Amino acid sequence: PALPGANPSAILVSAVTVGGILAIKRWRPTWPGILIAIACGSFLAATGLGVETIGSRFGGIPHSLPAPALPQIDMIRIAAVLPDAVAFALLGSIESLLSAVVADGMTGRRHRSNCELVAQGIANVGSALFGGICVTGTIARTATNVRSGAHGPISGMLHSLFLLGFMMLAAPLASFIPLASLAGVLAVVAYNMIEKHAIAAIFRSSKGDLVVLAATFLLTIFMGLTEGILVGFLIGVLLFIDRMSKSVAVEYQGPILARDVADTAIEDRQSYDPNTASDPDTVVYRISGACFFGTASTVASVLDRIADQRRNFILDFQSVPFLDSTAAHVIEGAAIKAKRHGLRLVIAGASPQIRRILAELGVKPPDVAFAASIDDARRTISVLAPD
């Protein structure tokens, strides 16, 4: 839609900027290619090509900082800005963490997400005191910084000091920088940010991740960065829930075998007797994977098989790292059903956190027994079994 209004002079300035960056990177990689290319673009703009600059579009850069001041705070203003403030906070956090992940991939380092978000919050409070708008970690500027040779947080501090010094001393010069040159810089940075091998791997391996990539890419281009990030994040969450719901597994084992005696045992070894080495009244359901609302239906459909033909049931939770309230209610229903039918239910291998969640719902002794392992559960059943 914007093609009919394209400015040939702006396209020329952008092309010169991109070509200059690529040429300097190839033949003089130690030179500040981006800075030199912007200077060349500014020189072209000064010859009267008729392209927009920072000065013509935004009126230049201020020479000083405003005095800090606290805004007026009352409940009416808080109620008015709270929804937008929450949206900005969520979007800023997501974009900052995405920027940190991109920087990790480019530098090989690992960021600290909590430190990043706390620092961003402090920076936004300080910016508001000087009348500034909220800030966030930006992928383009972060990647530009890394591509320019940055290796640590000191580069970000120096970047801030350079901007402050440039604003205080050389603000008039920034007015001559053409927007087309900045667009060329962003085009080069965006291309360098693309991990071609990672995209190729996504095309080969995961259709779901490909949908997230395509939606984020297209929405960012045709609508905006905010829409692209939010929609991509939402699709990613839905795909994650779907994958987690399919990862849960419930294995059936019955009858349970008693521990056999090794051939090297000191005590006298008796001949193997299947009737005494197994308990036909005991069955084991081994659950593996995270138990949450997305997997509760799968677990519930299996546990509904509890019936009168078996007297002892063991639920093996050793491979369950997480249990939410919805899945806990499913286990509660199984415990109530077992109690109603007069069955013995033993939960084996549950972590203290899972046991606490179940206990809050009433799944606790004497109605249900807990054991550290399946062997302990079998011994518990033998103790509870009537003579």
Side-chain angles (χ1 to χ4, degrees), residues 79-161:
V81 303
L82 184 59
D84 292 334
V86 173
F88 286 158
L90 292 176
L91 179 61
S93 300
I94 294 172
E95 187 173 0
S96 292
L97 295 181
L98 285 176
S99 302
V101 171
V102 171
D104 289 344
M106 298 173 67
T107 62
R109 300 169 64 92
R110 288 295 176 265
H111 73 281
R112 293 179 294 172
S113 56
N114 290 336
C115 182
E116 177 72 25
L117 295 180
V118 170
Q120 177 180 313
I122 296 175
N124 281 328
V125 172
S127 175
L129 293 178
F130 288 90
I133 62 175
C134 57
V135 297
T136 176
T138 305
I139 297 176
R141 285 194 293 269
T142 301
T144 302
N145 196 25
V146 174
R147 292 293 182 183
S148 299
H151 296 285
I154 296 178
S155 63
M157 301 176 190
L158 293 176
H159 178 253
S160 300
L161 293 176

Side-chain angles (χ1 to χ4, degrees), residues 215-268:
T216 305
F217 178 76
L218 295 176
L219 287 174
T220 300
I221 291 178
F222 294 105
M223 295 189 66
L225 180 63
T226 302
E227 291 81 359
I229 291 178
L230 290 178
V231 173
F233 180 76
L234 178 60
I235 297 176
V237 169
L238 296 177
L239 289 175
F240 174 77
I241 294 175
D242 179 69
R243 290 168 180 171
M244 292 297 293
S245 64
K246 294 178 180 178
S247 65
V248 68
V250 183
E251 302 176 8
Y252 164 79
Q253 177 183 341
I256 186 171
L257 297 179
R259 185 181 297 278
D260 200 2
V261 180
D263 294 334
T264 57
I266 299 177
E267 62 269 16
D268 295 335

Side-chain angles (χ1 to χ4, degrees), residues 155-198:
S155 63
M157 301 176 190
L158 293 176
H159 178 253
S160 300
L161 293 176
F162 288 146
L163 287 179
L164 179 61
F166 194 87
M167 182 187 70
M168 301 296 292
L169 302 176
L173 297 177
S175 300
F176 298 101
I177 298 178
L179 298 180
S181 288
L182 299 180
V185 172
L186 291 178
V188 174
V189 171
Y191 179 80
N192 291 333
M193 287 168 54
I194 299 175
E195 298 181 3
K196 291 81 175 175
H197 63 283

Side-chain angles (χ1 to χ4, degrees), residues 14-89:
S14 294
V16 170
T17 302
V18 173
I21 294 174
L22 297 180
I24 294 174
K25 181 180 179 180
R26 180 172 181 179
W27 285 293
R28 292 292 186 271
T30 58
W31 290 11
I34 295 178
L35 184 60
I36 295 175
I38 290 179
C40 294
S42 300
F43 176 77
L44 287 177
T47 60
L49 289 179
V51 296
E52 285 190 325
T53 63
I54 293 179
S56 63
R57 183 68 177 272
F58 303 106
I61 297 177
H63 296 267
S64 61
L65 292 175
L70 289 174
Q72 295 182 355
I73 300 176
D74 53 55
M75 292 305 300
I76 297 178
R77 287 184 173 85
I78 292 177
V81 303
L82 184 59
D84 292 334
V86 173
F88 286 158

